Amino acid sequence: MTLRLLPALGLTAALGLFLPAMPSQAAPQSCDRQCMNQIVNDLVDSMVRHDPDHLPLAAVYQATENSHPAALGMMTMWRTITKAGKPDFVAIDVPAGQAYIETQVNEGGELSVLWGRIKVVDRQITELELFMNRSRGDHGFSFSAEKLPENLKTWMNPPAGRKKATRAELEELSQSVFATNSTYTIELGENCSFIEAGSHVVDPGLDDVPPPAAPAGSPARDPNAPLGCIFPPNHPTDPQAREIVIDEDLGIVVDAAIVPGTVFPYPFYGHMLSAFIPNEMKEPGVAQQAWFERKLAQGKGGLLKPMPATGDAMHVLQVYDGKLQGLQINVHVGPPDMKSLWVKP
């Protein structure tokens, strides 16, 4: 029998009848600003509906709620949130595929502050780092879920004619937020807004210490007026701080860090409450310890013993027109010596 050779092209075609087709590799789908906004909206909506299963989750995702890991269906916020509107604050970093969210939510009639970040790859959620602050104690000092929407409105609506910071300028700011050694400086805007957990920060001061004297020619500080922005050098540091978002459109930078501190008893308009003070902010800590000892010597009761704690923190800053226009400090207070699951070993 004579073996007849097929032409090369015919042989290739014939083999194609018997070889399995190679799967095509789909190109990753990019997620622009509108796409990221929609995923954030869907995230909050799923909490109200108590239904995380229809979110675009990656085949394997990572998630934490108030610093501890859990599947979304096991998280408390997907069980307790009963009402929420369009998110009050969203900063988006399209190149990094990350968004920071901060918004008021309703838990059966009680208002709380939801905040944190999500990461999106190929239009799927791969990471969720979420926090819920329900009181001053969760945050450590100022707190107002009620006033959050009003206080954050200007952040989301900066002046149309502003001079935007470049990404390189925002990166430089980001690297200084928790830096252990930085010479970075920036001018403060005249109306720079200082907010903690939705509330403008008001500190009436220690109840047995007169307010500091105002500089010559300046009016005395009103202890009931919101504090202005404060920026380095007096700030907590973390060599493992993480950059969460660089939002070039809104001029917003978000960075995360772990901040060791102490929860001290604290007087606040006649009530004996408490305050979380970072250990690196030595002057306030020394003053608070001295106040505690004075109260003990006077026989005062109902004082919380100073106790070590850790703040899981995200700082939010806004820059335009070459000045710092806003500073937010969002913290969830946890036990001492806590570490972040999001920091790579």
Side-chain angles (χ1 to χ4, degrees):
M1 181 174 67
T2 303
L3 179 61
R4 187 175 179 183
L5 296 178
L6 295 172
L9 183 59
L11 178 60
T12 302
L15 288 174
L17 296 175
F18 303 102
L19 294 177
M22 297 299 292
S24 60
Q25 188 70 30
Q29 298 184 68
S30 62
C31 193
D32 60 14
R33 195 173 187 90
Q34 182 179 357
C35 167
M36 293 289 289
N37 257 315
Q38 186 60 54
I39 290 177
V40 169
N41 291 341
D42 291 344
L43 175 72
V44 176
D45 184 60
S46 77
M47 294 177 179
V48 176
R49 293 186 289 108
H50 311 307
D51 176 22
D53 296 333
H54 290 86
L55 287 172
L57 296 174
V60 177
Y61 69 93
Q62 300 176 77
T64 58
E65 178 184 43
N66 294 344
S67 306
H68 66 83
L72 300 192
M74 298 280 284
M75 288 188 179
T76 302
M77 56 187 69
W78 263 273
R79 298 178 57 220
T80 60
I81 294 176
T82 54
K83 185 179 179 181
K86 181 180 178 182
D88 297 300
F89 184 98
V90 181
I92 295 172
D93 189 331
V94 173
Q98 295 208 126
Y100 172 85
I101 177 176
E102 187 176 347
T103 195
Q104 177 197 87
V105 294
N106 192 308
E107 296 183 286
E110 296 293 331
L111 297 179
S112 301
V113 175
L114 166 68
W115 58 281
R117 71 170 180 95
I118 67 168
K119 183 174 179 62
V120 174
V121 177
D122 199 16
R123 298 200 174 195
Q124 294 182 319
I125 300 172
T126 59
E127 297 180 5
L128 300 100
E129 184 179 6
L130 303 174
F131 297 88
M132 185 81 84
N133 284 16
R134 297 180 170 92
S135 70
R136 281 171 54 99
D138 283 343
H139 174 77
F141 192 64
S142 296
F143 173 84
S144 179
E146 181 180 358
K147 295 180 180 178
L148 182 147
E150 175 187 349
N151 289 341
L152 295 186
K153 188 178 296 183
T154 57
W155 288 67
M156 299 302 294
N157 298 278
R162 69 194 181 280
K163 180 184 177 183
K164 294 184 180 181
T166 65
R167 189 172 184 91
E169 290 170 336
L170 295 173
E171 287 279 4
E172 187 179 12
L173 169 64
S174 173
Q175 292 168 11
S176 74
V177 175
F178 291 106
T180 55
N181 185 17
S182 174
T183 58
Y184 179 87
T185 59
I186 187 169
E187 186 178 349
L188 300 182
E190 183 179 354
N191 298 310
C192 188
S193 174
F194 182 21
I195 292 174
E196 292 185 350
S199 173
H200 285 292
V201 181
V202 176
D203 181 9
L206 299 176
D207 56 8
D208 61 353
V209 176
S218 301
R221 185 182 84 84
D222 179 359
N224 301 309
L227 297 179
C229 292
I230 305 169
F231 201 64
N234 189 17
H235 71 293
T237 66
D238 181 359
Q240 293 184 305
R242 294 172 291 128
E243 184 177 282
I244 301 300
V245 160
I246 299 290
D247 187 325
E248 298 168 72
D249 186 54
L250 295 175
I252 287 174
V253 167
V254 186
D255 289 88
I258 294 294
V259 180
T262 303
V263 175
F264 286 98
Y266 203 89
F268 195 77
Y269 293 110
H271 299 283
M272 289 298 182
L273 302 179
S274 62
F276 173 75
I277 300 178
N279 289 340
E280 288 186 277
M281 299 182 71
K282 297 186 182 299
E283 187 176 339
V286 168
Q288 206 61 36
Q289 180 65 34
W291 174 88
F292 173 68
E293 292 172 0
R294 290 196 301 272
K295 294 299 176 181
L296 283 181
Q298 296 167 10
K300 300 291 185 182
L303 298 170
L304 176 74
K305 180 180 178 180
M307 303 174 72
T310 305
D312 210 332
M314 289 188 186
H315 285 199
V316 185
L317 301 95
Q318 186 170 43
V319 174
Y320 54 81
D321 294 337
K323 298 179 181 180
L324 183 67
Q325 307 289 351
L327 166 64
Q328 291 186 57
I329 298 177
N330 293 302
V331 176
H332 195 277
V333 178
D337 303 320
M338 185 176 69
K339 297 180 180 180
S340 173
L341 291 170
W342 299 103
V343 173
K344 295 179 181 179

